[in-house]
Amino acid sequence: MFWGGTQGGLEIRQDGEAVRVAGRFPYDMRTELAPGYVETIAQGAFAPRVNENEDLHFLLGHDFEKPLASRGAASLVVRSEAYALTFEATVSAQTSWARDFMAAHAAGLIRGLSPGFRTRKGGEAITRDGDVMHRTITSADLFELSAVTRAAYPSAQIEARCWQAERPDSGLQRTLNRWRA
């Protein structure tokens, strides 16, 4: 396995038409998003939508016009585990943005993983400790995971390995409004 380090890095090996990407987004990790603003995604916060088997996407840079994999296309598996949100995706090199993703990574330009989600009603708690505001997300609708140049959550990790291409069944593509942390 080739897990990214604490910088949320990506590693890709080119061998064939497709890349297998696996990763995790740890729960219960305090992350400073900006000076004085800390956020934690609580254990199981994404579980409701993940367990509903709703369509989810793996995107390039939070852009629904640049999908790399999706549940609807049978190229993405997402699970809410006790310690983290985990996923496995098969990314085909047949689209220009997938090739751009691989080239950008090879050039050292893409290093992170970022979730796109909307907090459910009552699904957050905000506390203040002096000058620091802490937001804890307890329930959120996850819509996508994205490979990004700079992740807000540096503890997120991705592994990528190339393997023989598989043609997934075509699935429903839809654009969703989302909130990105």
Side-chain angles (χ1 to χ4, degrees):
M1 283 188 175
F2 296 95
W3 288 100
T6 60
Q7 297 298 314
L10 304 172
E11 183 173 334
I12 295 178
R13 288 192 215 170
Q14 186 67 38
D15 182 25
E17 291 281 324
V19 176
R20 184 171 184 177
V21 179
R24 64 183 180 152
F25 184 87
Y27 291 133
D28 297 322
M29 298 290 292
R30 265 178 80 105
T31 301
E32 185 176 39
L33 298 177
Y37 186 77
V38 175
E39 187 169 80
T40 301
I41 308 293
Q43 179 179 349
F46 297 133
R49 184 165 162 83
V50 169
N51 293 337
E52 290 168 359
N53 290 319
E54 294 286 330
D55 199 10
L56 298 172
H57 297 82
F58 180 50
L59 306 174
L60 179 57
H62 295 288
D63 188 345
F64 274 87
E65 298 300 317
K66 295 181 180 174
L68 298 170
S70 75
R71 275 187 172 173
S75 57
L76 178 65
V77 175
V78 181
R79 293 180 195 90
S80 183
E81 314 257 348
Y83 65 95
L85 178 75
T86 62
F87 76 96
E88 294 178 15
T90 302
V91 178
S92 172
Q94 295 178 355
T95 62
S96 61
W97 55 88
R99 289 188 300 273
D100 290 346
F101 161 65
M102 289 182 248
H105 174 267
L109 300 173
I110 292 181
R111 294 287 183 233
L113 172 68
S114 180
F117 63 91
R118 184 177 318 128
T119 304
R120 288 183 170 204
K121 185 175 183 174
E124 67 183 350
I126 299 174
T127 59
R128 193 180 257 320
D129 183 14
D131 290 340
V132 177
M133 184 177 295
H134 185 203
R135 178 182 186 211
T136 302
I137 309 278
T138 57
S139 183
D141 289 326
L142 178 72
F143 295 107
E144 52 94 0
L145 290 165
S146 283
V148 295
T149 56
R150 198 153 120 201
Y153 303 88
S155 60
Q157 299 178 340
I158 292 180
E159 166 195 285
R161 290 186 187 173
C162 294
W163 59 334
Q164 194 65 2
E166 293 182 18
R167 284 197 162 338
D169 297 332
S170 61
L172 174 65
Q173 300 267 333
R174 64 181 176 197
T175 302
L176 300 169
N177 292 326
R178 69 193 184 285
W179 180 81
R180 181 181 170 258

